[in-house]
């Protein structure tokens, strides 16, 4: 199973935010940000905090891709 966070990166661009801004606003670590950058799974709690910080829904930041 695979995930894509391309929607997240596009949303950051739309909101004129940097990754470090997202890290500060959603209280996520650099290692979690690295996982996101490599399209690796992260916890629902992390995704929830990102949604809260960006005022969006989970489908706005992540896609599930079938193998």
């Amino acid at each position: 199973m695979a995930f894509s966070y391309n929607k997240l990166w596009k949303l950051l661009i739309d909101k004129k935010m940097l990754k470090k801004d997202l890290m500060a606003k959603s209280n996520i670590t650099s290692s979690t940000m690295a996982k996101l950058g490599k399209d690796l799974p992260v916890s629902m709690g992390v995704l929830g905090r990102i949604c809260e910080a960006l005022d969006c829904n989970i489908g706005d930041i992540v896609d599930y891709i079938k193998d």
Side-chain angles (χ1 to χ4, degrees), residues 28-41:
I28 57 177
T29 63
S30 55
S31 61
T32 300
M33 188 58 77
K35 282 184 179 181
L36 291 167
K38 294 175 185 171
D39 287 336
L40 296 173

Side-chain angles (χ1 to χ4, degrees), residues 9-10 12 15 23 42 47-48 51 61:
W9 311 130
K10 288 181 182 131
L12 287 182
K15 292 183 178 278
M23 287 172 61
V42 296
L47 296 176
C51 289
I61 60 172

